[in-house]
């Protein structure tokens, strides 16, 4: 099992990289490849990588990602069409859309892998929210912290169906994108640690049969407590 962390030096927010560390703690046979800025992604060598991961970035980090990945975008699209697995969290999902437009008037062309765009207000306070959604028959809990919201410009299958909190934008109940084996969501931080049953399902999908997350009983108890808190009407959801 090989997982590629794409440009990990851009990952310094919210503990997103803990998702991959958690998979390795749970399944020590995993090999992790770190592809740095300026290097050709390993997953483009077909059949060499089981999962590509990309987490939350700063806005400057988003631009660096776009600058480095854009030369490979046609190969990336082909890899996705051929079934390459991706897990993309936080605002990293924005760079795979068409563009980001800020209220200041700045427009950033993105990779145009998928047909959605992002509207951002970098001068406003960051939008924070708890989240509860559904993935198949599994309830998902998570957290969002973002300047931008994304808008579908085509019929795209979401990753999660929202129960509580904002979807891809504040007026949307669909959240993220699930195209073939590409999974993208605004949920950030240690998504896999927070959702141990989702992690089992996800691990099985990428080929780790009979997978059990590390510290499962503790993670499951924390998940149940968090789910109760997040679905309690007394819980403050936005701040």
């Amino acid at each position: 099992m090989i997982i590629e962390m794409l440009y990990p030096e851009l990952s310094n927010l919210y503990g997103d990289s803990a998702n991959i560390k958690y998979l390795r703690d749970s399944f020590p046979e995993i090999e992790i490849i770190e592809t740095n800025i300026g290097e050709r992604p390993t997953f483009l060598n077909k059949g060499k990588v089981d999962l590509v991961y990309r987490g939350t970035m700063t806005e400057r980090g988003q631009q660096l990602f776009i600058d480095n990945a854009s030369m490979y975008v046609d190969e990336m699209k082909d890899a996705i069409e051929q079934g390459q697995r991706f897990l993309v969290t936080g605002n990293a999902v924005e760079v795979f859309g068409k563009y980001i437009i800020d209220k200041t008037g700045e427009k950033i062309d993105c990779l145009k892998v998928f047909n959605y765009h992002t509207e951002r207000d970098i001068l406003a306070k960051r939008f924070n929210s708890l989240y509860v959604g559904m993935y198949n028959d599994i309830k998902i809990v998570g957290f969002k912290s973002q300047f931008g919201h994304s808008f579908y410009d085509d019929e795209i299958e979401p990753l999660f169906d929202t129960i509580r909190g904002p979807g891809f934008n504040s007026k949307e109940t669909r959240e993220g994108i699930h195209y073939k084996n590409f999974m993208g969501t605004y949920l950030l931080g240690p998504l896999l640690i927070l959702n141990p049953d989702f992690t089992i399902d996800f691990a099985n999908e990428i080929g780790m049969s009979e997978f059990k997350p590390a510290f499962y009983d503790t993670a499951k108890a924390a998940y149940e407590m968090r789910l109760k808190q997040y679905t309690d009407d007394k819980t403050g959801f936005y701040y």
Side-chain angles (χ1 to χ4, degrees):
M1 177 63 59
I2 300 175
I3 299 176
E4 181 172 14
M5 297 183 70
L6 198 54
Y7 310 145
E9 61 267 52
L10 301 179
S11 299
N12 59 357
L13 297 172
Y14 304 115
D16 292 63
S17 59
N19 288 305
I20 303 308
K21 293 177 182 177
Y22 188 55
L23 288 178
R24 185 168 61 180
D25 286 344
S26 306
F27 197 83
E29 293 82 3
I30 288 175
E31 176 186 352
I32 297 176
I33 297 173
E34 295 190 353
T35 298
N36 297 310
I37 292 288
E39 296 178 344
R40 175 181 169 81
T42 301
F43 78 89
L44 297 177
N45 302 324
K46 297 180 181 179
K48 299 294 185 182
V49 172
D50 299 288
L51 174 69
V52 179
Y53 180 72
R54 175 63 257 164
T56 309
M57 300 170 277
T58 65
E59 285 66 38
R60 174 58 178 158
Q62 286 180 309
Q63 186 63 66
L64 288 170
F65 183 95
I66 293 165
D67 292 344
N68 280 266
S70 59
M71 68 184 74
Y72 306 113
V73 69
D74 289 337
E75 292 178 90
M76 184 182 296
K77 289 179 180 179
D78 181 63
I80 292 170
E81 291 295 332
Q82 297 301 316
Q84 174 63 58
R85 295 189 180 278
F86 278 75
L87 178 61
V88 176
T89 58
N91 69 357
V93 74
E94 296 175 353
V95 303
F96 290 88
K98 295 188 298 183
Y99 60 84
I100 301 169
I101 188 162
D102 195 88
K103 285 193 174 181
T104 62
E106 179 186 18
K107 183 179 179 182
I108 300 167
D109 288 325
C110 296
L111 298 179
K112 300 180 176 67
V113 176
F114 300 110
N115 195 19
Y116 56 82
H117 72 278
T118 300
E119 297 177 10
R120 186 172 73 188
D121 189 351
I122 197 68
L123 299 180
K125 289 184 178 179
R126 192 177 289 271
F127 179 88
N128 300 310
S129 176
L130 305 177
Y131 180 84
V132 181
M134 292 295 298
Y135 177 80
N136 296 331
D137 59 349
I138 301 171
K139 286 186 177 179
I140 302 295
V141 297
F143 181 76
K144 297 184 177 189
S145 183
Q146 60 205 83
F147 286 117
H149 290 90
S150 293
F151 297 81
Y152 302 107
D153 296 315
D154 204 348
E155 287 298 320
I156 299 175
E157 182 182 351
L159 183 58
F160 303 131
D161 293 314
T162 301
I163 296 173
R164 192 173 186 198
F168 221 30
N169 59 71
S170 59
K171 297 181 180 180
E172 177 66 67
T173 59
R174 296 171 296 171
E175 209 294 315
I177 175 173
H178 192 184
Y179 178 77
K180 295 192 174 183
N181 291 325
F182 184 101
M183 294 180 172
T185 174
Y186 266 119
L187 298 186
L188 46 76
L191 173 66
L192 300 184
I193 299 173
L194 297 182
N195 296 279
D197 289 335
F198 170 73
T199 303
I200 292 172
D201 195 89
F202 176 74
N204 289 335
E205 286 187 22
I206 63 176
M208 291 187 281
S209 60
E210 300 182 2
F211 175 90
K212 184 174 182 179
F215 314 110
Y216 175 79
D217 292 341
T218 301
K220 179 70 171 180
Y223 162 83
E224 294 289 356
M225 181 177 67
R226 191 172 286 108
L227 179 62
K228 184 178 185 300
Q229 291 175 338
Y230 287 14
T231 53
D232 187 340
D233 287 339
K234 296 179 182 179
T235 300
F237 236 69
Y238 305 96
Y239 51 92

